[in-house]
Amino acid sequence: MKSAASESFLVRPWPEGSAAGSDLSEDGRGGLLLRTGAVLGVTLICLVVLRRWIAGGVCHCSARLDGKTVLITGANTGIGKETGRDLARRGARVVMACRDLTRAEQAAEEIRKSTGNGNVVIRHLDLASVYSVRQFAKDFMDSEDRLDILINNAGVMMCPKWLTEDGFETQLAVNHLGHFLLTNLLLPILKSSAPSRVVTVSSIAHIGGQINFEDLFFSRRPYSSLESYRQSKLANVLFSRELARRLKGSGVSSFCLHPGVIYTDLGRHVYSWFPLLGTLMSLPSLLLMKTPWQGCQTTLYCALTPDLEGRSGCYFSDCAEMETAPEGQDDAVARKLWEESARLVGLKETC
């Protein structure tokens, strides 16, 4: 009897490959797959939320522009091209002012085909040349009967220290002085087409910028491409603000904006200095930067939103009014910059 009791409590080894062992292994694999799926799901949701946040605001204005004329500088690529496409789709006559006419015609033809609007034309404009800006403005005034929206979009970013044919440092010349002269020369037709708007594309990079009146072109101090870029973008903000002050009551409104950090070829100079950086940034950039379509939304908001005239002189980002850096609110510096800019480009009469 005692022997039988001992036998009944004998613990035997678990048979290898038994059904219970197999079930336990499958449960472990199932749990691992479940946890992996959960992590991937949460990651995907986070990426979607991040992309929506980066995309920023969207211009929901449905206004038509039939019979209106829009002029966009630097419209053959990036946000300028997408701005032109949207405005052409709304029925506007779109004048693309570009330095490279071959690329401009290719972009214009693409816009014509995608929108069905054949009223998209190109004109040559080199913002780095005072002569070119004056010639462009003269030809425009002679051939066009109205100008409803002027979009100062073209720009260069952090290029090497180059001087224009007029002896100006390139970033300040293209980003600010060229647009300053162009806008002033086109004011008669803007006023005759009122209500009209001037939209100037600046950047959040104006924060920390400084207008160095003693050495605007880095003639006496070491050249910094970033410092130069910040100066030019601050100049955009101050120009737009002073333009609004001078045009008050004229029917012409002035707006300035930060389009966002956009995946375009604007940063080509930075990547050319550091090729490895360009390679490393290529994939993250697709995730962390706006597309050109997303980048043009605030430009469209400033150009199209009804009843925005009361905010003339203001600064916008992600389709909402934002406060500029303190440097961008200095009216004394804005007036001094206006006067110095007029002197540099030989503009004797301004608004």
Side-chain angles (χ1 to χ4, degrees), residues 199-203 255-259 295 298-299 302 314-317:
V199 179
T200 301
V201 178
S202 181
S203 169
F255 307 101
C256 192
L257 65 101
H258 167 56
T298 306
T299 299
C302 292
C314 292
Y315 172 81
F316 295 80
S317 178

Side-chain angles (χ1 to χ4, degrees), residues 55-295:
V58 175
C59 177
H60 296 289
C61 179
S62 59
R64 294 287 303 176
L65 295 177
D66 304 280
K68 306 289 188 181
T69 298
V70 179
L71 169 60
I72 310 171
T73 65
N76 64 299
T77 188
I79 63 174
K81 180 179 175 182
E82 291 305 316
T83 301
R85 191 195 307 276
D86 185 283
L87 299 179
R89 191 175 287 119
R90 296 170 187 268
R93 172 174 171 79
V94 178
V95 180
M96 302 169 60
C98 306
R99 184 174 58 88
D100 188 332
L101 290 182
T102 300
R103 294 179 64 190
E105 180 52 40
Q106 292 172 352
E109 183 58 24
E110 181 185 328
I111 291 173
R112 294 182 197 116
K113 289 181 178 179
S114 64
T115 64
N117 184 347
N119 203 5
V120 179
V121 300
I122 64 171
R123 297 273 181 87
H124 179 262
L125 171 63
D126 182 359
L127 287 162
S129 166
V130 169
Y131 173 81
S132 177
V133 174
R134 287 186 175 276
Q135 191 61 47
F136 173 91
K138 180 181 182 302
D139 293 344
F140 188 94
M141 298 277 284
D142 289 343
S143 59
E144 302 289 338
D145 58 1
R146 64 181 304 114
L147 176 57
D148 300 275
I149 305 171
L150 168 61
I151 300 178
N152 293 323
N153 167 81
V156 292
M157 184 178 79
M158 295 181 66
C159 61
K161 187 181 179 181
W162 294 331
L163 297 181
T164 69
E165 63 185 47
D166 304 296
F168 305 151
E169 186 274 323
T170 298
Q171 292 195 88
L172 189 66
V174 173
N175 296 348
H176 168 62
L177 292 173
H179 284 127
F180 171 85
L181 178 59
L182 177 67
T183 303
N184 273 279
L185 293 176
L186 294 178
L187 279 179
I189 195 170
L190 282 164
K191 289 178 178 179
S192 67
S193 306
S196 55
R197 298 184 182 186
V198 178
V199 179
T200 301
V201 178
S202 181
S203 169
I204 197 173
H206 80 276
I207 298 174
Q210 180 184 8
I211 306 299
N212 191 321
F213 290 105
E214 302 302 317
D215 191 16
L216 284 172
F217 305 135
F218 293 83
S219 303
R220 297 188 293 274
R221 52 184 167 140
Y223 179 72
S224 165
S225 60
L226 177 58
E227 189 177 341
S228 172
Y229 182 66
R230 284 177 169 173
Q231 176 178 249
S232 70
K233 293 291 102 178
L234 175 58
N236 288 153
V237 173
L238 294 170
F239 161 65
S240 180
R241 184 181 181 93
E242 179 66 5
L243 181 66
R245 186 186 71 81
R246 289 171 178 255
L247 292 179
K248 189 174 182 179
S250 69
V252 183
S253 304
S254 171
F255 307 101
C256 192
L257 65 101
H258 167 56
V261 181
I262 305 160
Y263 190 69
T264 69
D265 63 352
L266 188 63
R268 60 189 179 276
H269 296 297
V270 179
Y271 297 151
S272 68
W273 298 337
F274 307 102
L276 181 59
L277 177 63
T279 302
L280 294 175
M281 285 294 292
S282 59
L283 290 178
S285 292
L286 296 175
L287 175 65
L288 300 175
M289 294 184 180
K290 292 184 178 184
T291 65
W293 181 84
Q294 293 166 343

